[in-house]
Amino acid sequence: MIRQLLLKTYRSFESYAIRDLTRVNLLVGRNNSGKTSILESVHLLASQGDPTVLVQSTRRRGEIPAKIGTDRSDGLRRHELHDVSQQFFGRRLQVGAEFRISSKDRLGHVSAMIRPAEESDSKDLLEVDTDDLQTLVLRLGGSNRDPIDIPVNADGSLTLTRRVLLRAASRAPQETQLVRFLSTESAGLGSLAEMWDDVQRAGRESEVIDALRILETDLGSIHFLAAPRRYGEASSGILLGFEPGTPRVPLGSHGDGSRRLLAISLSLTQLTNGFLLVDEIDTGLHWTVMEDMWRLVVETTRKSRTQIFATTHSYDCVRGLASLLASRPDLAEEVSIQKIERSLARAVAFDADRIRAAVKHGIELR
């Protein structure tokens, strides 16, 4: 479990520390304060510098140049180009630019540095086209992963070819942390179906159904269609069963909250000794279910030994957490709120007592 997180020249943070982290950590702060960047930093650290995690970050944010690769004569297909300059403080893409994400636990650190291409002996540079004017490489690695050099284009974009991906996979640690990132966008049907399969293999379907009963008290069953492509929206590929003998209802008919809670509960049930990262955890959920949602999250993460980092802009979300802590003082050590302010050198941490007191007296935490 990560107890403290240190960022150095990563995205919008020149130098930043988050301490007193717990099992469940709710990140609050103004728009553009860097909350999502914190989630991404944990993702990259837990993966020990997996380049595909870097790409997932740029894709979620739309940090992709207009140029898309085409088929090549050597049989390789160029992948999307991703603007790696956004990962560095000040968006500087020059020789010597670097960032570092670290903790003082067994995850150690992850670092990235821009280096001249001529200083790299990576065979991956043989895959670049001469008209791309690629003169730089991104060296990415971690405490438990040997560094890998990835070619960077003159416009700041990097290309992950098959060879790069294979070499990165070969350098992955033998023991990797399970990590799942739930963005503000709805989780894809394929991803939900894979998690549901894992839950079924473990015989834990009832736990997920119980979680959705927070919203649908008379829910009896969940069903994933074998051929969802026949349907328009992905939500139509998931059916909810209620009274026996009655038609099952598409998940999409029950609003975004049900889909969000399904994704969270599936992730929590599937992960063990891992990390769950949730951007805007309260998306689609009414304020009246916030305490129940937090009870599900805290109890499940403690049981599975998973650590969760989540963001919110909602005071109802904070109030729901405070209400849970008031009714369940035994959960106090599992929870913290971290207020993210880039103008400070470190996040402002609120433990259970401070959370309850702040909400009781109407003190703004966000």
Side-chain angles (χ1 to χ4, degrees):
M1 190 166 71
I2 298 174
R3 290 296 185 181
Q4 69 172 351
L5 186 67
L6 305 175
L7 308 181
K8 186 70 174 179
T9 57
Y10 177 71
R11 284 198 176 269
S12 59
F13 296 102
E14 185 172 13
S15 180
Y16 204 69
I18 307 177
R19 297 188 172 93
D20 302 320
L21 291 166
T22 55
R23 178 75 59 191
V24 176
N25 305 281
L26 180 60
L27 311 181
V28 299
R30 296 182 179 182
N31 290 332
N32 200 33
S33 62
K35 298 186 297 297
T36 302
S37 295
I38 300 298
L39 300 186
E40 292 168 338
S41 71
V42 174
H43 197 183
L44 195 56
L45 178 62
S47 75
Q48 284 295 284
D50 183 348
T52 62
V53 171
L54 204 64
V55 166
Q56 291 169 18
S57 172
T58 64
R59 184 180 292 123
R60 278 192 300 266
R61 292 174 175 264
E63 297 168 345
I64 304 174
K67 179 180 178 182
I68 300 295
T70 58
D71 287 328
R72 300 174 39 147
S73 60
D74 59 7
L76 292 173
R77 179 172 179 81
R78 174 161 300 170
H79 294 234
E80 295 173 338
L81 302 179
H82 302 269
D83 187 1
V84 72
S85 67
Q86 306 293 326
Q87 302 284 333
F88 296 87
F89 181 74
R91 301 173 183 172
R92 294 191 299 267
L93 193 74
Q94 59 191 29
V95 173
E98 62 181 330
F99 68 74
R100 182 182 176 94
I101 303 165
S102 60
S103 65
K104 290 188 176 181
D105 56 36
R106 62 191 178 91
L107 290 178
H109 74 274
V110 163
S111 61
M113 175 179 286
I114 299 296
R115 298 164 55 89
E118 58 267 22
E119 293 185 6
S120 174
D121 58 0
S122 173
K123 295 180 180 179
D124 302 308
L125 298 182
L126 298 176
E127 296 188 7
V128 305
D129 290 333
T130 55
D131 60 355
D132 280 336
L133 301 178
Q134 291 170 312
T135 59
L136 303 173
V137 294
L138 170 69
R139 175 159 290 183
L140 180 65
S143 297
N144 303 309
R145 183 192 289 263
D146 292 335
I148 184 172
D149 286 347
I150 307 172
V152 179
N153 297 303
D155 63 358
S157 59
L158 61 82
T159 305
L160 286 184
T161 61
R162 292 178 185 175
R163 186 181 295 171
V164 171
L165 292 173
L166 288 173
R167 290 184 66 240
S170 70
R171 300 184 182 194
Q174 291 184 349
E175 295 184 7
T176 57
Q177 298 287 324
L178 294 175
V179 189
R180 185 166 297 277
F181 193 116
L182 298 181
S183 68
T184 53
E185 301 295 326
S186 296
L189 178 59
S191 175
L192 293 176
E194 288 179 6
M195 287 191 284
W196 179 250
D197 288 346
D198 289 339
V199 168
Q200 284 188 306
R201 292 188 189 99
R204 301 178 65 184
E205 304 96 314
S206 61
E207 297 177 37
V208 179
I209 293 171
D210 286 343
L212 258 65
R213 285 181 179 144
I214 293 174
L215 301 180
E216 308 292 343
T217 56
D218 53 348
L219 178 66
S221 59
I222 301 173
H223 307 270
F224 281 72
L225 296 180
R229 291 184 180 180
R230 295 177 299 167
Y231 300 85
E233 294 295 328
S235 295
S236 299
I238 306 172
L239 301 180
L240 304 181
F242 295 91
E243 292 294 330
T246 62
R248 289 162 182 162
V249 181
L251 175 67
S253 299
H254 289 261
D256 292 339
S258 293
R259 187 179 182 85
R260 185 65 159 177
L261 194 58
L262 175 62
I264 292 172
S265 60
L266 281 172
S267 299
L268 289 173
T269 304
Q270 182 197 37
L271 291 173
T272 300
N273 290 319
F275 297 91
L276 178 59
L277 314 171
V278 189
D279 211 2
E280 302 297 341
I281 191 171
D282 54 291
T283 297
L285 298 174
H286 195 260
W287 67 269
T288 55
V289 302
M290 288 300 171
E291 181 178 348
D292 290 332
M293 183 272 289
W294 280 120
R295 181 177 294 105
L296 165 71
V297 168
V298 180
E299 290 182 345
T300 307
T301 52
R302 184 165 65 170
K303 179 180 178 181
S304 64
R305 301 180 300 282
T306 294
Q307 188 173 22
I308 182 171
F309 293 78
T311 71
T312 189
H313 287 108
S314 168
Y315 196 72
D316 289 330
C317 188
V318 174
R319 187 182 292 113
L321 182 57
S323 180
L324 172 64
L325 293 172
S327 63
R328 291 288 304 276
D330 58 303
L331 300 178
E333 293 185 359
E334 307 288 345
V335 175
S336 78
I337 287 181
Q338 302 283 341
K339 186 170 184 178
I340 309 301
E341 293 189 20
R342 284 185 295 165
S343 60
L344 302 178
R346 59 180 291 181
V348 180
F350 293 82
D351 61 15
D353 290 338
R354 295 184 68 192
I355 294 170
R356 289 193 297 260
V359 170
K360 179 179 180 180
H361 297 290
I363 299 172
E364 179 59 72
L365 296 182
R366 299 167 300 163

